[in-house]
């Protein structure tokens, strides 16, 4: 089973102390990552795909969804495991608010998240949501929505944990969170988290590249 590349402190092990909660690097994804995003979503099947998209959709529809992502307008986040596999994706979409929306800003945001089974139970979904909330604050967006099926207990848990107000209707749930304005700490936090994730991404990419080269050496067993 693929696991995250956790940042462990040898001192804690030597002293016999419990490990602190591992750092989960969340990286902003770009146009060049579209193929990896598609590969991630195609690994989500059955009920998990239903819960992520709200309805049963085919691989072709998944591909159309990924093709429709506008990286100039929306922001997409990802979490990579030790094997340089994209195990979680968060899509933060921006749109004009509806007339009855409780905001006077020009935009609102909606967040959707997916985590592969191999990486669940580590708090990745909540971490992706936290990153999305910080980005919204720093982009002058004060209202963040999540829409899901009422049976999607994982999303409901994330929403409740974040203090979102949840409304259920006809088997679906809408949740929203009011966000405060940006401040120096939120701007610094976003920059530091992206810098950490970029370093983590580079390290994993280099290890993956070195492993491939090693496997290609003469005499290596195939």
């Amino acid at each position: 089973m693929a696991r995250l590349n956790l940042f462990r402190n040898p001192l804690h092990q030597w002293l016999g102390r419990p490990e602190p909660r591992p750092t989960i690097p969340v990286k902003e994804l770009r146009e060049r990552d579209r193929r990896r995003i598609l590969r991630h979503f195609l690994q989500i099947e059955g009920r998990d795909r239903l819960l992520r998209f709200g309805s049963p959709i085919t691989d072709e529809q998944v591909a159309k969804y990924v093709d429709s992502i506008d990286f100039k307008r929306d922001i997409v986040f990802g979490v990579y495991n030790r094997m340089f596999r994209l195990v979680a994706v968060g899509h933060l979409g921006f749109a004009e608010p509806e007339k009855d929306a409780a905001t006077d800003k020009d935009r609102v945001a909606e967040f959707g998240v997916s985590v592969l089974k191999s990486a669940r139970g580590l708090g990745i979904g909540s971490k992706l949501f936290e990153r999305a909330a910080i980005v919204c604050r720093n982009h002058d967006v004060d209202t963040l929505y999540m829409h899901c099926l009422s049976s999607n207990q994982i999303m409901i848990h994330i929403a409740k944990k974040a203090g979102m107000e949840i409304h259920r209707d006809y088997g679906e749930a809408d949740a929203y969170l009011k966000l405060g304005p940006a401040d120096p700490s939120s701007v610094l936090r976003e920059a530091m988290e992206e810098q950490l994730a970029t370093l983590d991404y580079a390290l994993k990419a280099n290890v993956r590249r070195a492993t491939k080269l090693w496997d290609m050496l003469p005499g290596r067993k195939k």
Side-chain angles (χ1 to χ4, degrees):
M1 179 181 294
R3 303 297 291 178
L4 284 175
N5 181 19
L6 306 181
F7 295 88
R8 300 193 180 279
N9 189 335
L11 181 61
H12 286 86
Q13 296 178 344
W14 184 69
L15 294 175
R17 295 178 179 175
E19 289 277 354
R21 190 173 182 85
T23 300
I24 300 173
V26 176
K27 189 179 188 308
E28 184 174 341
L29 304 180
R30 307 290 183 178
E31 175 72 37
R32 63 176 179 271
D33 301 305
R34 198 183 293 272
R35 290 175 60 185
R36 288 196 179 101
I37 296 171
L38 174 60
R39 193 178 304 122
H40 166 82
F41 282 121
L42 290 178
Q43 293 177 78
I44 302 173
E45 299 178 328
R47 178 172 173 78
D48 288 337
R49 186 179 291 190
L50 168 66
L51 293 177
R52 171 58 182 86
F53 294 101
S55 61
I57 64 175
T58 64
D59 288 353
E60 290 75 16
Q61 290 172 313
V62 171
K64 287 182 179 179
Y65 161 74
V66 174
D67 285 341
S68 70
I69 297 176
D70 186 349
F71 288 90
K72 295 180 180 179
R73 180 195 63 200
D74 299 344
I75 300 177
V76 183
F77 305 104
V79 174
Y80 287 89
N81 69 0
R82 179 169 29 187
M83 304 305 294
F84 202 49
R85 179 188 181 194
L86 195 59
V87 296
V89 171
H91 184 181
L92 185 62
F94 297 96
E96 294 183 1
E98 297 181 359
K99 293 182 178 179
D100 58 347
T103 180
D104 57 0
K105 302 295 184 180
D106 295 332
R107 297 185 300 170
V108 295
E110 183 174 351
F111 185 65
V113 63
S114 56
V115 181
L116 298 184
K117 290 181 179 179
S118 62
R120 292 176 187 168
L122 299 171
I124 295 176
S126 294
K127 184 64 178 180
L128 283 164
F129 181 86
E130 291 173 9
R131 178 67 183 276
I134 287 292
V135 169
C136 284
R137 289 180 59 187
N138 294 339
H139 284 72
D140 196 32
V141 173
D142 68 356
T143 308
L144 176 57
Y145 291 95
M146 285 203 307
H147 177 80
C148 65
L149 298 177
S150 294
S151 58
N152 193 338
Q153 294 303 312
I154 295 177
M155 289 290 282
I156 297 297
H157 172 74
I158 292 174
K160 288 182 176 179
K161 185 177 178 180
M164 302 184 81
E165 184 171 336
I166 303 172
H167 301 274
R168 292 181 172 89
D169 189 22
Y170 300 106
E172 297 185 348
D174 286 297
Y176 75 91
L177 180 69
K178 296 296 291 185
L179 302 167
D183 58 29
S185 64
S186 68
V187 174
L188 179 61
R189 178 179 172 183
E190 181 183 353
M192 291 183 64
E193 289 189 357
E194 182 61 23
Q195 186 176 28
L196 170 64
T198 299
L199 175 61
D200 175 77
Y201 176 91
L203 289 172
K204 290 173 180 174
N206 288 334
V207 170
R208 179 65 172 167
R209 190 176 301 111
T211 300
K212 287 184 176 181
L213 291 174
W214 174 255
D215 291 338
M216 293 172 61
L217 290 177
R220 292 290 298 168
K221 294 182 179 180
K222 301 297 184 181

